Amino acid sequence: MNQTILIIDFGGQYAQLIARRVREMSVYCEIYPYKKAEQAISKLKPIGIILSGGPQSVYAPNAPSLELSVLNSGIPILGICYGAQYLAHALGGRVKPALTPEYGKTETFFKNSKLFSGVNSGVTWMSHGDYIESLPQGFKAIAHTHNCPIAAMENERNNIYAVQFHPEVVHTQDGSKILKNFVYVICGCEGDWHMEDYINTAVNDVKSTVGDGRIVLGLSGGVDSSVCAALLSKAVGKRLTCIFVDHGLMRKDEGDNVESVFKGWDINFIRVNAADRFLSKLKGVIDPEQKRKIIGAEFAAVFEEESRKVGADYLAQGTIYPDIIESGTETSAVIKSHHNVGGLPKNLRFKGVVEPLRLLFKDEVRRLGKLLGLPDSLVFRQPFPGPGLAARIIGEVTQEKADILREADAIFCFEIEKAGLSTEIHQYFAVLTSVRSVGVMGDSRTYDYLLALRGVTTEDFMTADFARIPYEVLEKVSRRIVNEVKGVNRVVYDITTKPPATIEWE
């Protein structure tokens, strides 16, 4: 059995990111909600425990908490943000609202500690309104900022450490080094887990779950579903049927391209042309959550109908970690529902759902795809949301709007690739807003749509920065779109980071 780090989730949006950082160190980890911490310790027998951040105050009614047996287990513990405040509060210190809350990049000064070995004082990523005013007995402060006297604390004798900032976020300088010090120096991990282990475990789990049953997978041709298909094929072979549902909201020529690629695979491939069906369901709907749930439910309905024809017993999905955390978990808030997480009806007529990628982040899925022998054209394909262009059309989705967006998006993608920027920008696409603006073309007044362009750079898709696309490229894209795409007379570029925004607009 692999050495394991247990991550206890207090509802923080970065809980899954902590897991990714730990796995990057070749150390296995699992995430459990705080209510199941004792059960997780008993099952996993972890070599270390990390307490995540969370949105609440330790003094709030029904604030997340742990049994003292967890804190007194003798297992090394690292508390992050809320996790740090909880440790202070639970062990006898004091937490109070801060006079000056800290959000974003913050200069932080470290003292000598095993946790900060080889780490220089520098910038950390803060996100807290409360602060630790006084230390629990046996603890000492090991970091501070200009506004926060206890930005980190330790009880070296009991192997309990806490940081007010987020070392898992890339904006924290040496954040990975801090986590590595905890995992390797304090917990004594040896790094005995690798992606090949994940393949073997996932394949065995699928075999154990489905037995001799048949699986149906919704294959979009995107990275997640393609890697999922390859992994499932390794587990069950011809008992896998991949259904490509063309909901009429794909990118330009995408449906035909997907079919041409997967028709040659050694799997059962079915294409369902259901554009009219989806568009009729979306008529008059403007709320983004409702749109996502409608599309998710319709996907499930199509899968059920087609699976009856092939006798499928299980529904497979390419669900990954960011899908789950953004759709909301037992301890976290809903950011946006994903069709493969929040939109499935309760009466789904399958024996179960198989999600072999649910523990992975996007970059890990790509690495897995390479190990499974998938071509780069699939592994490094531009991310595309399950609801397709519906997630990039603000307001009601219509055939006209989808056609407008398809053409504009194709121009944007073409020019980005032509400029040699496709490997530097991790995701780029166009968004058709519901805003119309006045313009002038050929001495005539126009009143057409405002189109937004979005490009981001990211390591994990949990946080992202806007891409610095050269003005000359943006100018060319804008000129081509307003000249070539009927219905658009104004183009803007989105320069918002994630957070506070999401990468997709809906």
Side-chain angles (χ1 to χ4, degrees):
M1 182 176 179
N2 299 102
Q3 293 177 320
T4 301
I5 296 291
L6 168 64
I7 299 168
I8 296 177
D9 183 10
F10 282 128
Q13 289 299 317
Y14 297 142
Q16 320 301 339
L17 188 51
I18 300 170
R20 177 183 177 275
R21 298 297 182 221
V22 172
R23 290 200 297 266
E24 283 178 342
M25 301 170 194
S26 300
V27 175
Y28 183 69
C29 65
E30 287 193 27
I31 299 175
Y32 274 72
Y34 68 91
K35 294 179 181 179
K36 298 181 179 179
E38 287 186 301
Q39 173 187 335
I41 291 174
S42 176
K43 175 183 176 182
L44 300 176
K45 297 179 172 45
I47 196 170
I49 297 172
I50 299 178
L51 310 182
S52 82
Q56 297 193 52
S57 167
V58 294
Y59 292 112
N62 301 316
S65 63
L66 300 170
E67 297 293 333
L68 284 179
S69 61
V70 175
L71 305 184
N72 297 327
S73 64
I75 302 170
I77 295 175
L78 171 64
I80 295 175
C81 197
Y82 177 90
Q85 294 171 4
Y86 172 73
L87 286 172
H89 176 66
L91 297 174
R94 182 179 298 170
V95 177
K96 291 182 63 177
L99 294 176
T100 307
E102 292 178 318
Y103 296 98
K105 294 180 180 179
T106 305
E107 189 175 13
T108 306
F109 305 93
F110 301 126
K111 296 180 180 179
N112 184 46
S113 168
K114 288 181 181 179
L115 190 64
F116 300 139
S117 177
V119 176
N120 298 317
S121 296
V123 172
T124 65
W125 185 262
M126 294 282 191
S127 182
H128 66 102
D130 291 345
Y131 80 110
I132 300 171
E133 182 188 48
S134 63
L135 293 163
Q137 186 175 359
F139 282 77
K140 68 177 182 179
I142 54 175
H144 71 277
T145 70
H146 293 298
N147 296 311
C148 185
I150 306 174
M153 65 180 189
E154 71 173 10
N155 183 325
E156 187 174 358
R157 179 178 179 179
N158 293 335
N159 266 339
I160 299 178
Y161 298 80
V163 295
Q164 182 61 74
F165 55 87
H166 289 272
E168 71 275 21
V169 174
V170 294
H171 306 299
T172 294
Q173 293 176 356
D174 292 324
S176 291
K177 176 64 175 174
I178 294 169
L179 287 174
K180 191 171 184 178
N181 283 338
F182 176 72
V183 169
Y184 278 89
V185 178
I186 295 170
C187 297
C189 289
E190 299 175 355
D192 61 356
W193 186 80
H194 305 282
M195 190 58 71
E196 289 85 350
D197 297 324
Y198 188 88
I199 293 176
N200 295 332
T201 300
V203 166
N204 289 333
D205 285 348
V206 171
K207 288 180 177 179
S208 175
T209 299
V210 306
D212 295 329
R214 295 182 175 275
I215 303 176
V216 59
L217 168 70
L219 182 60
S220 69
V223 179
D224 301 337
S225 65
S226 297
V227 174
C228 186
L231 193 60
L232 292 172
S233 178
K234 191 176 180 68
V236 302
K238 277 287 190 179
R239 287 184 286 122
L240 169 65
T241 296
C242 293
I243 299 175
F244 169 49
V245 179
D246 188 346
H247 49 26
L249 298 167
M250 307 294 289
R251 289 169 289 200
K252 188 174 182 179
D253 299 328
E254 193 162 35
D256 293 339
N257 291 337
V258 169
E259 183 172 6
S260 66
V261 169
F262 289 102
K263 270 292 190 180
W265 277 31
D266 188 27
I267 58 174
N268 298 314
F269 178 88
I270 298 172
R271 179 175 181 175
V272 182
N273 294 306
D276 292 342
R277 179 170 172 172
F278 278 85
L279 287 172
S280 65
K281 292 282 187 179
L282 293 168
K283 187 175 181 179
V285 179
I286 61 174
D287 179 74
E289 275 298 293
Q290 189 178 358
K291 285 194 289 186
R292 284 177 173 271
K293 291 184 184 300
I294 287 172
I295 291 172
E298 202 61 24
F299 259 104
V302 173
F303 289 158
E304 185 178 12
E305 292 169 11
E306 294 298 325
S307 67
R308 285 177 178 175
K309 300 175 185 177
V310 297
D313 305 294
Y314 292 86
L315 171 66
Q317 297 187 134
T319 309
I320 63 175
Y321 254 166
D323 297 344
I324 295 170
I325 192 62
E326 289 187 335
S327 295
T329 65
E330 182 175 346
T331 53
S332 63
V334 174
I335 303 302
K336 58 183 179 182
S337 294
H338 289 257
H339 77 282
N340 53 350
V341 178
L344 297 176
K346 294 181 180 180
N347 61 347
L348 194 63
R349 296 178 182 176
F350 293 101
K351 291 181 179 179
V353 178
V354 180
E355 298 173 314
L357 308 181
R358 67 180 294 115
L359 293 180
L360 302 181
F361 285 87
K362 183 72 72 172
D363 62 320
E364 293 175 314
V365 173
R366 295 186 197 279
R367 280 166 40 209
L368 182 63
K370 293 290 290 181
L371 287 173
L372 290 168
L374 292 173
D376 287 353
S377 60
L378 288 180
V379 173
F380 297 105
R381 190 179 188 185
Q382 272 285 298
F384 193 54
L389 298 182
R392 298 173 181 175
I393 295 173
I394 309 304
E396 183 183 10
V397 178
T398 66
Q399 184 68 59
E400 177 192 18
K401 289 180 179 179
D403 290 340
I404 290 173
L405 183 54
R406 245 189 294 273
E407 294 300 321
D409 184 74
I411 290 172
F412 184 36
C413 293
F414 176 83
E415 293 298 339
I416 289 294
E417 293 163 11
K418 183 180 178 181
L421 300 172
S422 60
T423 57
E424 299 176 21
I425 307 173
H426 299 111
Q427 191 168 352
Y428 46 92
F429 54 88
V431 176
L432 186 64
T433 76
S434 58
V435 175
R436 289 179 181 265
S437 68
V438 174
V440 58
M441 289 178 140
D443 296 325
S444 298
R445 177 186 184 276
T446 63
Y447 190 62
D448 289 326
Y449 287 110
L450 181 152
L451 184 106
L453 304 177
R454 179 75 157 146
V456 300
T457 57
T458 178
E459 290 190 8
D460 45 53
F461 287 86
M462 293 297 289
T463 62
D465 195 5
F466 68 90
R468 272 63 173 178
I469 300 176
Y471 287 148
E472 57 269 22
V473 176
L474 290 174
E475 180 185 20
K476 186 173 184 181
V477 171
S478 176
R479 184 173 62 249
R480 282 197 59 193
I481 288 174
V482 296
N483 285 328
E484 299 176 28
V485 182
K486 186 178 179 180
V488 176
N489 67 357
R490 192 179 299 269
V491 177
V492 298
Y493 184 58
D494 183 351
I495 59 170
T496 318
T497 61
K498 175 187 180 181
T502 54
I503 293 176
E504 299 287 347
W505 275 40
E506 288 198 344

